[in-house]
Amino acid sequence: MLQAKLNNGKLITLFQYSKMEIEKLRANQQFFCPTCNEKVIIKAGSKTIAHFAHRSITDCQSSDGGEGVYHEQGKLLLYRWLQAQGLNASLEEYIPSIKQRPDIFLRIGKKKIAIEYQCARIPTVNVQSRTKGYLSGGIQPLWILGANLFQRIGRNLLKVDHFTLQFLQQYSRDYLPVMYFFDPHSNIFLTASNLYQTDKNRMIGILNMEKLKQIHFKNIFKISRIQPNLLINEWKKAKYKFRIYHPKRIYGKEQLWYKWLYYKGTHREQLPSIIYLPVPSQYRMVTPPWDWQSRICLGIIDPLPLEGAFSLSTCRYQLQRSISTESLPLIKSPGDPILEYLMILCSLNLIQQLSKYQFVKKREIIHYTHMEDALIGDNKLMDEILKNFKTKYEHDSHLIRYTKY
Ligand SMILES: [Zn+2]
């Protein structure tokens, strides 16, 4: 933390003092954590920013972001960046109504924003309770992750995990979720936007890097939409990898899925191309897209005769263990991955939507016997989806222009 309490209860912020002044303070004063009142010590080095840290491992909320130099430096740079723009920002301010102390508290007109710069992996419950606390106080939380948690694995590929996925944020229903990162060493602010989850640990998206001082705070929320070509090309690669992948060891849910496929008389190499398609709300599922999508295709649609009907609730019932029960307070859209998937199948004329929740089978699902055919079929199908996405994309961008002006 950047602030501590003195004996007389006054708050002190170190970064405004010179090195000599800090040494003097260190010799003559005692410092206390403003949150838990435990004694804290000064950490200052020649190249690092002076800050306070608890003397021992603590469960104090103030150390949740990580008390290391990296975290403190990032917090301070973000704070100065906001101040330089003339914004009303305060550092480590205590908000009595919700008993929370965000790294930076920002007031813009009537809007209140709590910025949390998170570098340390903390328990999920802590993230959830802090997020919910802010929201209950009418404050919009904005999580910015330390770039130590950023892992790029391709031009448009981001590695994610159960921890980082909690920080998917969506401020407008019109856009796909984003994630923010900041690196105090290089002063680079990273925006990962238009995120589409391909499997448990990967997301396709637009990864944008900019020097902090070159961006205005409000611009971090202005996000342009992913080009359909880019998304489909990345998805083709993911689909190819999926098709040719030979797992060495299978266990857990994956093993259950393999068993289920075997029971259905098929294999991963032979699966219809309509299994494993990109849906924006995949983050609401706990199983990978190929798992739950195959259960709809092979478990529900395939056994039906042509013109046979099924409902959305049948699909939901079948997939109840695949749907995440975790609440997503940072996500504005109520997106339903199952419905999104069915709508793609509609656009491919495989099924038809009769009413809001009723669908009817229109064409037989193509199964493969050779991997080569499957690979060709996958590409063909993705090209067809691209064509549909492009039409929708043009339609949507028209809509947005229309609503804005
Ligand atoms: Zn404390």
Side-chain angles (χ1 to χ4, degrees):
M1 69 200 101
L2 296 166
Q3 285 187 109
K5 253 187 344 195
L6 296 172
N7 268 328
N8 59 13
K10 265 188 158 176
L11 281 173
I12 176 167
T13 311
L14 284 182
F15 61 81
Q16 57 213 32
Y17 294 102
S18 71
K19 223 182 125 190
M20 271 193 21
E21 286 170 323
I22 288 174
E23 284 314 312
K24 228 168 111 187
L25 280 165
R26 202 204 298 257
N28 301 318
Q29 292 276 358
Q30 281 188 313
F31 309 98
F32 304 91
C33 169
T35 303
C36 69
N37 285 315
E38 287 289 313
K39 265 193 187 171
V40 289
I41 47 170
I42 292 184
K43 296 248 176 169
S46 56
K47 280 184 184 166
T48 59
I49 128 131
H51 63 280
F52 297 99
H54 289 81
R55 295 179 119 179
S56 50
I57 297 164
T58 167
D59 52 8
C60 172
Q61 208 203 69
S62 284
S63 64
D64 267 2
E67 284 180 315
V69 172
Y70 191 83
H71 172 249
E72 304 305 330
Q73 198 180 353
K75 194 198 306 187
L76 183 60
L77 288 170
L78 287 167
Y79 168 68
R80 284 183 172 156
W81 168 65
L82 296 165
Q83 269 203 324
Q85 293 167 50
L87 294 168
N88 182 0
S90 65
L91 199 59
E92 296 172 358
E93 182 181 329
Y94 183 66
I95 307 166
S97 60
I98 52 166
K99 299 194 174 74
Q100 278 174 264
R101 190 187 297 276
D103 286 335
I104 301 166
F105 191 41
L106 195 58
R107 294 173 181 86
I108 302 178
K110 278 184 184 164
K111 243 197 169 128
K112 290 180 235 163
I113 300 167
I115 299 177
E116 290 280 13
Y117 181 55
Q118 189 66 37
C119 300
R121 289 176 181 270
I122 55 170
T124 309
V125 283
N126 296 19
V127 176
Q128 289 271 336
S129 75
R130 271 153 81 188
T131 294
K132 283 177 187 157
Y134 291 131
L135 290 171
S136 75
I139 299 161
Q140 179 63 51
L142 169 63
W143 293 87
I144 299 171
L145 296 178
N148 57 321
L149 296 167
F150 177 79
Q151 265 185 288
R152 187 180 203 159
I153 43 172
R155 190 177 159 75
N156 294 99
L157 272 187
L158 180 71
K159 196 166 178 185
V160 291
D161 55 43
H162 188 70
F163 178 73
T164 52
L165 272 174
Q166 298 177 89
F167 303 99
L168 273 183
Q169 296 159 81
Q170 187 198 34
Y171 296 99
S172 155
R173 285 179 174 212
D174 294 332
Y175 294 97
L176 290 163
V178 288
M179 263 159 124
Y180 300 108
F181 299 86
F182 177 58
D183 178 36
H185 292 164
S186 58
N187 243 311
I188 281 176
F189 192 86
L190 296 128
T191 308
S193 66
N194 290 276
L195 293 164
Y196 268 86
Q197 198 172 353
T198 61
D199 62 39
K200 217 172 99 200
N201 296 108
R202 281 155 199 262
M203 286 189 123
I204 293 172
I206 298 177
L207 309 177
N208 199 32
M209 303 187 169
E210 268 176 295
K211 281 273 181 196
L212 189 63
K213 61 177 176 201
Q214 273 156 13
I215 31 176
H216 193 277
F217 175 67
K218 280 176 189 160
N219 287 343
I220 71 168
F221 304 103
K222 281 187 190 153
I223 283 149
S224 54
R225 223 174 264 247
I226 194 166
Q227 293 289 331
N229 308 22
L230 199 148
L231 171 66
I232 296 298
N233 274 337
E234 289 294 334
W235 203 271
K236 274 183 180 173
K237 287 186 220 164
K239 223 167 150 53
Y240 177 79
K241 262 193 194 152
F242 165 75
R243 191 68 91 173
I244 61 161
Y245 172 67
H246 285 286
K248 286 189 197 100
R249 254 176 73 219
I250 340 167
Y251 48 90
K253 275 183 185 158
E254 202 183 4
Q255 190 176 35
L256 289 177
W257 181 66
Y258 273 94
K259 275 190 183 159
W260 184 81
L261 283 189
Y262 182 75
Y263 164 74
K264 287 277 163 195
T266 188
H267 285 281
R268 174 201 278 262
E269 296 86 7
Q270 297 165 350
L271 286 179
S273 295
I274 50 165
I275 291 166
Y276 196 17
L277 300 184
V279 294
S281 306
Q282 169 62 31
Y283 53 81
R284 291 190 188 273
M285 303 303 269
V286 290
T287 49
W290 55 82
D291 182 316
W292 63 268
Q293 293 181 8
S294 64
R295 289 172 202 269
I296 294 181
C297 286
L298 306 179
I300 297 171
I301 303 175
D302 206 31
L304 282 177
L306 287 179
E307 301 300 325
F310 67 98
S311 70
L312 180 62
S313 50
T314 309
C315 300
R316 282 213 185 113
Y317 183 75
Q318 288 263 334
L319 296 175
Q320 49 186 318
R321 278 197 219 131
S322 293
I323 302 168
S324 165
T325 51
E326 257 171 59
S327 68
L328 299 164
L330 296 168
I331 301 277
K332 284 259 157 62
S333 124
D336 177 347
I338 300 173
L339 188 60
E340 287 163 0
Y341 180 60
L342 294 178
M343 293 320 285
I344 302 181
L345 298 186
C346 284
S347 74
L348 295 166
N349 300 317
L350 195 97
I351 58 172
Q352 195 187 349
Q353 193 174 22
L354 288 182
S355 62
K356 207 171 167 192
Y357 304 113
Q358 285 288 323
F359 296 85
V360 63
K361 178 173 170 181
K362 281 301 197 189
R363 276 204 264 167
E364 291 297 346
I365 294 175
I366 302 166
H367 294 259
Y368 298 107
T369 39
H370 298 289
M371 170 111 92
E372 291 74 21
D373 297 335
L375 291 172
I376 294 168
D378 286 353
N379 269 331
K380 257 191 175 161
L381 184 87
M382 291 315 291
D383 287 336
E384 205 178 331
I385 291 174
L386 174 62
K387 238 179 17 200
N388 296 337
F389 272 22
K390 272 186 176 162
T391 321
K392 196 178 172 295
Y393 181 85
E394 275 150 26
H395 175 75
D396 285 357
S397 28
H398 171 72
L399 270 184
I400 285 168
R401 242 175 283 144
Y402 187 73
T403 46
K404 261 192 186 159
Y405 302 107

